[in-house]
Amino acid sequence: MSADTRLPVRARDDRPVRLRTGWRGQLLGALRRAAPALLIYAAVRLCGLLLLALWSWHAGKQPGKLLGRSWDAVWYERLADHGYGTVLHGADPSYIYSDLAFFPLYPMLVRGVRATLSLGFVEAGLLVSWAAAGAAAWGIYAVGERLAGRRAGVLLVVLWGVLPHAIVQSMAYTESLMTAFAAWALYAALTGRWLWAGAFAALAGLSRPNGIAVAAAVSLGAAWQICQLWRNRTPDSLSLSARQDWRLWAGAALAPLGWAGYVLWVGWRKGSPLFGYFAVQRGWGSKFDFGQDGWETVRRTVLGPMRLPYPMAIALVSVALVLFVLLVLDRPPVALVVYSGVLLVIALGGARYFGCKPRFLLPAFPLLLPVAVGMARARTRTVVVTVGALAGLSWCYGTYLLAIATSAP
């Protein structure tokens, strides 16, 4: 695979273009190009939040608490306030819930924002999440624009914003933060900025357990690029390739440091550097069983009555698998395939929390690229109707997940 794909990739040199306007001018120009996508994304998410607020007030609930203090958000608030050290025991003695299962970057940012702006934990957590969602939308647009043009870039952002679980993008959760770093890491890799790609991948690895997917994408993407450089090397390109090679190696080495550093630190605290973190995850009932628990959940869902999140999760995971096949058939750059594939493997192969698997796949925005490219070629009326239907589903289902459902989104 290479950047020369069946996707309508725009013909550009992989090296960064330095204009006379400087980096500030380039940044403002990129922001102006992304503005339509960001405005539409903000409007879509605000409508979803408005529906959630109206239903919450009708049911006597507070939308702010639903967004900022639901499920894992409580753990992040406690981490931001007190740091690590909380351990809760479940009714089943085999379940030991340790806060070491949660990666540190998001609570650190919440603590910093709260101290700087004198906000409460809920307000600080939501501010970090909403800012991260905006940064993620911008990065997603940048990837889509580079690979398929502006119209497809806008649609890629909009599709990400109308996913059935898109309400999570507005919660005090870490999916938006990881997606932001992932999107910009992939964009940096696509444009040959390998040091930036490695740095963003390292930060993504400090955001969530599945942040390892970003590190894998950058490292393997860099390895593929190195192979291409060596295969196509000519005497005239020796000096240029040498300058590129060290950045590729450095970016590939930098990418896994965030994830690996935290996992090793938890292991050191638990007395087993290599396996301590995974022991913490097993305390939550989370382990990699190659999908055995998932298949059992699917069987129970098909054979008997189950709550709505489970059949919805089955449908969304099935769609994600189909989209991955379509993405691979379009022959995109290696980094996008690796990133999406690793996220799918982690989500499908993990035990328990089946209803949460669509949330685990929220950062896998490249899966939406074939749909965005197809919609970019469709008539405007078709696009508007399709986006409107998906938005309505997203708003209603997001409201159900937070205000009605009794299981974590």
Side-chain angles (χ1 to χ4, degrees), residues 147-393:
L147 291 176
R150 294 188 65 181
R151 183 177 172 86
V154 172
L155 289 169
L156 185 62
V157 174
V158 173
L159 288 171
W160 187 66
V162 298
L163 289 172
H165 282 68
I167 188 65
V168 175
Q169 299 166 15
S170 304
M171 295 176 64
Y173 267 38
T174 55
E175 277 74 15
S176 293
L177 185 65
M178 177 188 150
T179 306
F181 288 127
W184 286 108
L186 292 173
Y187 178 74
L190 292 175
T191 55
R193 299 172 172 89
W194 290 101
L195 290 178
W196 280 108
F200 285 131
L203 290 171
L206 288 171
S207 304
R208 286 189 53 77
N210 54 358
I212 186 63
V214 191
V218 172
S219 296
L220 292 179
W224 177 264
Q225 187 66 27
I226 289 170
C227 292
Q228 296 294 99
L229 287 172
W230 278 93
R231 188 177 67 178
N232 300 325
R233 181 168 291 192
T234 62
D236 294 336
S237 65
L238 285 176
S239 60
L240 175 60
S241 296
R243 289 199 301 272
Q244 289 180 330
D245 279 357
W246 81 265
R247 291 184 175 87
L248 286 164
W249 286 108
L254 183 61
L257 293 184
W259 187 88
Y262 181 71
V263 168
L264 291 174
W265 177 77
V266 172
W268 173 77
R269 285 192 54 161
K270 302 297 291 184
S272 176
L274 294 180
F275 303 106
Y277 174 78
F278 303 102
V280 170
Q281 286 284 2
R282 285 195 299 273
W284 284 77
S286 180
K287 61 181 180 180
F288 193 85
D289 66 351
F290 298 92
Q292 180 180 349
D293 180 76
W295 279 115
E296 181 61 25
T297 302
V298 171
R299 187 187 68 82
R300 291 197 305 268
T301 302
V302 172
L303 296 179
M306 294 289 286
R307 292 170 295 180
L308 178 59
Y310 286 89
M312 178 65 83
I314 293 173
L316 294 176
V317 168
S318 301
V319 170
L321 288 171
V322 172
L323 291 177
F324 181 70
V325 172
L326 294 176
L327 179 69
V328 172
L329 291 176
D330 276 336
R331 298 171 57 199
V334 168
L336 271 68
V337 175
V338 172
Y339 173 67
S340 303
V342 173
L343 285 177
L344 272 171
V345 169
I346 293 173
L348 298 181
R352 291 196 73 196
Y353 308 107
F354 189 87
C356 298
K357 291 187 184 296
R359 170 167 66 86
F360 300 156
L361 291 173
L362 266 181
F365 68 89
L367 295 177
L368 302 171
L369 191 56
V371 182
V373 171
M375 290 178 64
R377 297 166 179 161
R379 293 183 298 177
T380 301
R381 180 185 301 176
T382 302
V383 173
V384 170
V385 171
T386 302
V387 170
L390 293 174
L393 172 63

Side-chain angles (χ1 to χ4, degrees), residues 102-117:
F102 297 93
F103 278 54
L105 185 57
Y106 177 76
M108 289 173 58
L109 292 174
V110 172
R111 177 184 293 184
V113 169
R114 181 175 183 268
T116 302
L117 302 179

